[in-house]
């Protein structure tokens, strides 16, 4: 598998996968050595070298909704998880606190390391661990098997398993990663604990030694109850045109764009029409250290940022600067002061590591007389509020929206 952190590589991968979309519903669960039956687009979508909407539009341009529904559903699972966590940000905060507390138990950490290093003694799972450590990728079905054994077989805390995946997966998203592990553990949905079965791996795994699977025959689920989760009102942001045609159109304004690893395609974002005096990509080395991200994950992120800088330069006609410093909020504020900006614009980070700096950034800029204007992509603003319950009520509303988009206007 070749994961190149560029938009061009992602577009090429999408083009190659399009002919396989119709067979996706039949083939997606088979875990094959080169993962040729799945798109492998998730790392690019994670940092929005390619957006979910672009993928879906390309698919719907060539297939009817019924033929492509299973693949489109899978793309929307990431959107659903994002929206679900945006409505319940306390889940991420609680999870990170629990990770830090659990890591204080050295015996527990050593037991986790056996699985992380591929030393469980169950050869298919060990193979998947080695693959993840070496490439930063693991097939989704294999992730479910691995997570289920971690929780229900090895009896290890789901939080430390989610942390392991978050450190290594190129597509590790705070929402989809954390909430998928909660689902496997039985915390996410009533009656939905996922228990790995020997027969399931035998049916769907390809090219692996399956002789050690007998240890999965007598697994019993860890009994977990879904937690009550307060649903918060989604924070809606003003549309981009409010700023482009209004407050940010005065000639004397010096506008800066801060862009970051959660959305690296400024040229397709709501910021695309702004005329900035300065653009800056700021990566916090402190976040890399705090989350102990793997070298492969850091390398992919850095490739993606460099690619985003190149495309931003072509689109806006000015060369962005790149800062890699310890303090994210301090770097944003210092850049705005250095450039004598009176407005900063940015895509608002979703719940996760970057969002933890939002309040400090807002406060620091305000203290220096600088306004910050957050944006979101309109497709996110539209569907995230649908994520108040489970995926399928969410999907019913999304599918209704897609059906409406496909309806042709009546001819008079």
């Amino acid at each position: 598998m070749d994961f190149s952190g560029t938009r061009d590589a992602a577009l090429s991968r999408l083009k190659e996968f399009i002919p396989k979309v119709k067979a996706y519903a039949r083939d997606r669960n088979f875990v094959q050595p080169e993962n040729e039956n799945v798109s492998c687009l998730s790392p690019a979508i994670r940092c929005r070298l390619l957006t979910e909407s672009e993928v879906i539009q390309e698919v719907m341009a060539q297939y009817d909704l019924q033929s492509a529904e299973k693949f489109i559903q899978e793309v929307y699972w990431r959107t659903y998880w994002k929206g679900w966590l945006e409505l319940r940000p306390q889940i991420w905060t609680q999870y990170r606190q629990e990770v830090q507390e659990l890591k204080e138990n050295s015996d527990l950490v050593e037991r986790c390391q056996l699985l992380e290093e591929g030393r469980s003694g169950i050869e298919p799972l060990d193979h998947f661990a080695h693959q993840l450590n070496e490439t930063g990728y693991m097939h989704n079905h294999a992730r479910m098997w691995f997570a289920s054994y971690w929780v229900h077989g090895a009896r290890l805390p789901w939080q430390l398993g989610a942390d392991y995946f978050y450190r290594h997966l190129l597509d590790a998203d705070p929402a989809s990663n954390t909430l998928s592990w909660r689902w496997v553990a039985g915390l996410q949905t009533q009656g939905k604990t996922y228990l790995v079965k020997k027969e399931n791996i035998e049916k769907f795994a390809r090219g692996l030694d399956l002789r050690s699977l007998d240890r999965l025959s007598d697994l019993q689920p860890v009994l977990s109850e879904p937690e009550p989760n307060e649903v918060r009102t989604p924070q809606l942001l003003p549309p981009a045109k409010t700023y482009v045609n209004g407050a940010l159109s005065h000639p004397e304004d010096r506008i800066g764009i801060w862009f970051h690893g959660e959305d690296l395609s400024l040229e397709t974002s709501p910021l695309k029409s702004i005329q900035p005096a300065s653009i800056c990509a700021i990566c916090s080395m402190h976040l890399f250290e705090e989350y102990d991200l793997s070298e492969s994950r850091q390398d992919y992120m850095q490739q993606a940022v460099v690619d985003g800088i190149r495309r931003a330069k072509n689109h806006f006609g000015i060369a962005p600067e790149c800062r890699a410093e310890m303090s994210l909020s301090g770097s944003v504020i210092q850049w705005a002061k250095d450039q004598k900006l009176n407005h900063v614009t940015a895509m608002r980070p979703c719940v996760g590591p970057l969002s933890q700096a939002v309040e400090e950034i807002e406060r620091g800029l305000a203290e220096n007389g600088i306004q910050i204007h957050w944006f979101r992509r309109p497709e996110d603003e539209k569907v995230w509020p649908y994520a108040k319950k489970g995926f399928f009520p969410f999907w019913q509303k999304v599918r209704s929206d897609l059906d409406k988009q496909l309806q042709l206007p009546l001819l008079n």
Side-chain angles (χ1 to χ4, degrees), residues 23-283:
Y24 179 83
R26 181 193 66 204
D27 298 339
R28 74 189 189 282
N29 284 331
F30 288 94
V31 182
Q32 299 176 332
E34 295 302 318
N35 295 303
E36 61 267 20
N37 55 340
V38 292
S39 73
C40 295
L41 289 170
S42 52
I45 292 174
R46 165 66 184 99
C47 55
R48 283 188 159 159
L49 294 172
L50 191 64
T51 69
E52 296 93 328
S53 291
E54 289 177 308
V55 173
I56 291 165
Q57 288 170 10
E58 185 67 25
V59 169
M60 291 180 65
Q62 302 190 45
Y63 293 92
D64 61 80
L65 183 53
Q66 184 175 355
S67 298
E69 182 167 2
K70 181 51 66 175
F71 179 71
I72 293 173
Q73 269 191 357
E74 291 302 313
V75 175
Y76 267 110
W77 263 103
R78 293 184 74 85
T79 306
Y80 166 73
W81 286 134
K82 282 274 197 191
W84 197 96
L85 194 61
E86 287 297 309
L87 299 178
R88 304 163 181 85
Q90 70 278 10
I91 295 296
W92 169 260
T93 304
Q94 176 183 337
Y95 151 67
R96 290 309 306 175
Q97 290 174 344
E98 291 168 349
V99 167
Q100 298 309 312
E101 292 168 2
L102 289 166
K103 283 186 174 181
E104 294 177 2
N105 184 330
S106 59
D107 292 337
L108 194 59
V109 171
E110 287 181 10
R111 289 176 56 210
C112 290
Q113 286 176 342
L114 288 176
L115 271 69
E116 293 181 20
E117 295 170 2
R119 295 189 287 132
S120 73
I122 302 176
E123 293 185 27
L125 302 185
D126 291 343
H127 167 82
F128 297 137
H130 290 306
Q131 182 185 59
L132 175 58
N133 296 339
E134 293 167 8
T135 70
Y137 187 79
M138 187 188 291
H139 188 289
N140 188 62
H141 207 173
R143 298 182 198 195
M144 293 166 62
W145 296 333
F146 189 95
S148 182
Y149 179 74
W150 180 290
V151 175
H152 305 296
R155 289 322 216 224
L156 294 170
W158 72 266
Q159 296 93 329
L160 294 183
D163 180 66
Y164 167 52
F165 273 19
Y166 191 79
R167 286 183 278 118
H168 288 273
L169 283 170
L170 302 183
D171 62 18
D173 175 83
S176 61
N177 185 60
T178 306
L179 302 180
S180 294
W181 274 84
R182 281 169 50 88
W183 175 74
V184 166
L187 294 171
Q188 191 67 19
T189 307
Q190 185 72 41
K192 291 293 184 181
T193 296
Y194 177 74
L195 192 65
V196 60
K197 296 183 181 299
K198 171 187 174 183
E199 296 79 11
N200 190 255
I201 298 180
E202 289 176 333
K203 178 179 179 179
F204 289 107
R206 294 289 183 268
L208 298 176
D209 185 342
L210 305 179
R211 290 173 295 179
S212 57
L213 291 179
D214 286 343
R215 288 175 55 186
L216 301 180
S217 299
D218 300 319
L219 293 191
Q220 297 297 319
V222 173
L223 298 178
S224 302
E225 289 294 330
E227 301 169 344
N229 298 310
E230 175 191 356
V231 179
R232 303 188 182 181
T233 303
Q235 181 183 7
L236 298 178
L237 301 176
K241 64 182 181 181
T242 301
Y243 296 124
V244 174
N245 299 325
L248 296 186
S249 62
H250 301 122
E252 67 274 13
D253 285 339
R254 284 187 57 80
I255 308 163
I257 296 177
W258 166 46
F259 81 114
H260 47 73
E262 291 205 359
D263 199 318
L264 291 172
S265 293
L266 293 179
E267 71 276 18
T268 70
S269 78
L271 306 180
K272 63 186 178 183
S273 299
I274 290 175
Q275 297 180 346
S278 178
I279 305 173
C280 191
I282 299 173
C283 302

